[in-house]
Amino acid sequence: MPHVSFVHGADRVDYLRRRRDVLASNPLFASTEFIDDRDEFVRRLPFMAAKRDFSEPVALNWTTDGTDIDFGSLSKQLIGYGVRTGTTALFGHEVRNLSKESDGTWTLKVRNRRTGDTRKINARFVFVGAGGDALPLLQKAGIDEAKGFGGFPVGGQFLRTANPAVTAGHKAKVYGFPALGAPPMSAPHLDARIINGRSWLLFGPFAGWSPKFLKQGHVTDLPLSVKPNNLAAMVGVGLSQMSLVNYLVSQLLLSDAAKVDALREFAPGAVDSDWSTTMAGQRVQVIKPTKGKGGTLEFGTTVLTAADGSIAGLLGASPGASTAVPAMLEVMQRCFHDKFATAWQPRLKAIIPSLGTDLSGEPALFDEVWLWGTKVLGLQAGVDAGAVAKRTGDPEPAGVV
């Protein structure tokens, strides 16, 4: 799925050209094209070109090397593999409490949400990957490392359409600039998605707000997360982030028609009746305690681990493909340092040949890993070692096991 940066206006076109020139020498971005030709824009993005006034300059940074992943399908495959090889998975269950025992293990109180039955599970190690609910669980665990952290819930909405006449005209993920005063995660994008075999277009995100930490959470989630040790951080962020507050208020006031108007900056020919609003997810942004400032609102992910390595958790934005693996490697290294440094390194190196290497400084290794990944995933039919060698001028890369 091509990934594209889109701008309009002379100043931003100039910025996009200069950015492409700076990144051209980096092997990770070498395939990126700069496009400011009207006919090429029309050919590649017909839905965005329809009814567009090209008297204003437009430009694209275009790379064909992007992918679009159905993470629901991927998660089912991963959990299914785990169950088939000995993992026990409990669905429809909720961890209500956890406490540390004198022997250093953890006892979890788990509730079956369908029947109401509860059970206790004892574990030597606990990873809290509960999305927005991770902060309350780490607070219940009572670990020092979680003290002072707070959370700010932000919802997400998208416009979507499955009209074949519309989806046929857009086969890319196109990103624009975030609005003035908006957080980086709010950068608007018009995405082609394949969901359960059906083509969709999604545009957004539009921010929503709820005190719930999960889509099916409780309105008491936010107030109950405020503790004496994080009150200063929460208040500090509230006083210093007025631009974010103003942005959220303006987003909440948007009507469906106004959202389609925002879409028309990307696709001037968009028709209101083709689009409907859908709720995406609920995320809890990290409020990190900061000396002298009370707290700082962060828009990435934060890994917290107890000093003894017996529990770890992931706070912040939901990790996508770019952050999920590094986050888990960080947890493994912190919590299982002895095994990670010795017994696990050879296996991890076989799974991730670039582990510990800056690929932007190793073009030959980058090409080797890229070739291997595209072949295994079947992303580009016809890609072979000779083609990569011809592009780079290097000998054909060795196979990766």
Side-chain angles (χ1 to χ4, degrees), residues 128-140 146 213-214 284 313-316:
V128 182
D133 228 20
L135 176 62
L137 287 172
L138 289 171
Q139 289 176 331
K140 289 178 180 179
F213 277 8
L214 296 170
V284 177
L314 188 72
L315 301 178

Side-chain angles (χ1 to χ4, degrees), residues 130-204:
D133 228 20
L135 176 62
L137 287 172
L138 289 171
Q139 289 176 331
K140 289 178 180 179
I143 60 173
D144 291 338
E145 290 74 12
K147 291 179 179 177
F149 279 84
F152 184 80
V154 179
Q157 300 177 350
F158 281 82
L159 292 176
R160 67 175 182 176
T161 181
N163 183 343
V166 178
T167 60
H170 189 83
K171 302 296 182 183
K173 295 166 73 76
V174 180
Y175 290 76
F177 270 83
L180 189 65
M185 66 177 183
S186 69
H189 45 101
L190 179 61
D191 293 354
R193 297 285 180 93
I194 308 297
I195 304 172
N196 294 328
R198 189 180 185 188
S199 293
W200 291 82
L201 291 188
L202 279 76
F203 177 76

